[in-house]
Amino acid sequence: MRSKYAIAAGSPAPAGAHHTPARTNFAVYSRQATGMALLLYRSDVDEAPFQEITLAPPVNRHAFFWHVAVEKLPAGTCYNWRVTLGDADGGGTALEVLDPFARAVSMAGWQRSAWRPGGPLGMRGVVTPPAGTPRPAPIGLEGAVIYELHVRGFTRHPSSGVRQPGTFSGLIEKIPYLRDLGVTHVQLLPVAAFDGQDVPPSVAALGLPNYWGYSPVALASPHPGYAANPDPSTHEDEFRAMVQAFHAAGIGVLLDVVLNHTAEGGAGGPVLNFKALMPGEFYHRDAGDYRDYTGCGNTINTNHPLVTQMLVQTLRIWAEERHVDGFRFDLASVFVRGADGAPLEQPPAPWAIEQALPGTPLIAEPWDAAGLYHVGNFPGHGWSEWNGRYRDALRRFLRGDPGLTGEIATCLAGSSDLYQDDGRHPSASI
């Protein structure tokens, strides 16, 4: 690796790091930034960058997209951004942040409890090669038998008998077992890079991590802890290989995606990326405070046009470049809230997602943690829903509550009372 690489102005699109052997284009959005620098690292544990590239408007900024191209940069190079907020002439605050669109990340140096404003960030983005083959037609939900599983938990115990337990590669070894069960789809609990250290103090005191993964830091990157190979530049390929193996067995892959909050938390949480890059757009705010409709300290402002576009682009990376078949959206009623937090009659986000991914199974968890409940009327034409009415009726029926025969029959037949009036089929009820 060279000590310095030649640079060019670059392009404002696509967001993230777009690599070819000739050049790698870096682009990130920030309207509030008064300065931006690209930091290039030789490895994911080096404390200092080997090259720091200061971006200069207007050459390196267009419509608040900051961009630069680096010539002949090898794949596998680690990088971050340094954002200056406030006075650009030395009086501002400089924060090192992770690229929101990093296709791979390393957390080798991350210590959440040690994070300080202006200090080094133990997370790094990693430059990866472009995707390979075109996406096959997604496997739909007609007649689906969905098996929800946790990538680590499913093969972690020695009884799983796999060579690489707790990894994407380990799942491949269990495909014959899942096929013999009659499974048509696996639904993977969150696999986007998350902060395993984002837990309450009482949990941290016990030495326990965030196990389930509902604490994202990079929405477009596979979680590094689920990869068999520690080299982050291989994680996309390992994930793709897993998806291809499922498809070869005739099994679809659904992802549980968390597009309602991030690991940055509220005012007391660390600044990882969006708090510095998009403090006025990305989260629901009220006089500087973070509105919390998720129970996790912050809520993504999904119906801001730029944020909607970012979330759609993230989903297209998983679908078009990694060939996943569909998505289950955690706390999806957040997609209905407008800038003031109130429900919108025609929220743009669900429609934008549906139109960007035609034919792709989209499953809403149609409620949030602050009272919205959309079972039977989630916005859009192509959405399926986690049918909470079915779940609740079945629980009451199984414990022996009387008078439920008709309701259970309707539920088992696809809940026509909820979906038929919208022209939706029984597959809308999950």
Side-chain angles (χ1 to χ4, degrees):
M1 183 177 287
R2 302 176 185 175
S3 59
K4 298 287 182 181
Y5 289 86
I7 63 172
S11 168
H18 182 72
H19 173 79
T20 69
R23 64 164 49 184
T24 301
N25 190 80
F26 295 88
V28 68
Y29 175 87
S30 181
R31 181 175 64 87
Q32 286 84 2
T34 54
M36 189 76 69
L38 177 67
L39 311 179
L40 300 177
Y41 293 90
R42 296 189 187 281
S43 77
D44 56 0
V45 294
D46 282 3
E47 293 185 3
F50 72 85
Q51 185 171 356
E52 180 173 334
I53 303 167
T54 300
L55 278 59
V59 174
N60 300 111
R61 189 181 70 186
H62 175 76
F64 299 112
F65 278 91
W66 300 75
H67 50 85
V68 65
V70 182
E71 308 290 342
K72 298 182 179 179
L73 187 71
T77 302
C78 296
Y79 73 100
N80 273 338
W81 293 100
R82 180 177 288 138
V83 186
T84 300
L85 300 173
D87 187 355
D89 297 322
T93 300
L95 299 166
E96 183 176 351
V97 299
L98 183 70
D99 182 358
F101 280 101
R103 306 299 179 89
V105 302
S106 168
M107 299 184 185
W110 174 240
Q111 289 292 329
R112 188 179 182 96
S113 61
W115 179 87
R116 298 292 182 273
L121 187 70
M123 302 179 186
R124 304 273 166 81
V126 182
V127 175
T128 61
T133 57
R135 182 195 188 195
I139 300 174
L141 295 179
E142 290 294 332
V145 178
I146 302 172
Y147 191 113
E148 184 182 55
L149 63 86
H150 186 281
V151 171
R152 181 174 299 284
F154 191 63
T155 61
R156 183 174 63 175
H157 194 271
S159 64
S160 69
V162 304
R163 293 184 299 274
Q164 297 170 309
T167 67
F168 299 126
S169 295
L171 283 187
I172 295 175
E173 299 180 63
K174 301 301 290 185
I175 288 176
Y177 165 75
L178 292 165
R179 185 175 54 201
D180 290 346
L181 290 178
V183 169
T184 66
H185 295 72
V186 291
Q187 181 172 295
L188 306 183
L189 273 73
V191 298
F194 64 87
D195 184 4
Q197 300 171 34
D198 184 14
V199 293
S202 59
V203 176
L206 297 173
L208 299 175
N210 183 313
Y211 178 74
W212 297 105
Y214 291 87
S215 185
V217 298
L219 302 176
S221 169
H223 182 58
Y226 293 162
N229 190 329
D231 179 0
S233 67
T234 68
H235 294 175
E236 276 195 297
D237 289 338
E238 184 176 336
F239 182 87
R240 288 191 193 101
M242 177 200 67
V243 175
Q244 290 168 0
F246 274 114
H247 285 172
I251 297 175
V253 178
L254 309 173
L255 299 188
D256 188 338
V257 289
V258 185
L259 304 185
N260 57 72
H261 74 279
T262 77
E264 291 188 295
V271 178
L272 305 178
N273 38 34
F274 296 110
K275 280 184 176 179
L277 294 168
M278 303 176 68
E281 299 99 342
F282 194 75
Y283 295 113
H284 282 280
R285 304 290 295 272
D286 185 6
D289 293 330
Y290 290 84
R291 296 198 194 103
D292 184 5
Y293 305 118
T294 64
C296 299
N298 63 49
T299 305
I300 297 175
N301 185 17
T302 58
N303 284 301
H304 186 287
L306 274 171
V307 178
T308 302
Q309 182 185 43
M310 292 178 71
L311 300 182
V312 166
Q313 184 176 345
T314 297
L315 294 170
R316 294 184 70 170
I317 289 170
W318 290 102
E320 296 174 3
E321 299 184 18
R322 298 167 187 161
H323 300 174
V324 303
D325 295 278
F327 304 93
R328 178 266 188 191
F329 295 83
D330 181 63
L331 297 182
S333 285
V334 162
F335 295 171
V336 176
R337 294 186 182 273
D340 61 356
L344 297 173
E345 184 176 353
Q346 297 292 341
W351 294 96
I353 292 170
E354 180 178 320
Q355 294 302 310
L357 297 166
T360 297
L362 305 173
I363 304 170
E365 182 183 37
W367 50 80
D368 66 14
L372 289 189
Y373 188 80
H374 289 96
V375 172
N377 63 352
F378 192 79
H381 292 316
W383 288 78
S384 297
E385 300 173 7
W386 266 25
N387 188 345
R389 289 264 300 276
Y390 174 102
R391 176 200 62 198
D392 296 342
L394 196 61
R395 284 175 172 171
R396 297 198 307 272
F397 181 78
L398 290 174
R399 76 184 180 191
D401 289 8
L404 291 169
T405 304
E407 185 174 358
I408 287 296
T410 300
C411 287
L412 292 174
S415 295
S416 59
D417 57 330
L418 295 177
Y419 302 112
Q420 190 173 33
D421 61 342
D422 297 329
R424 287 192 278 177
H425 297 158
S427 60
S429 172
I430 305 297

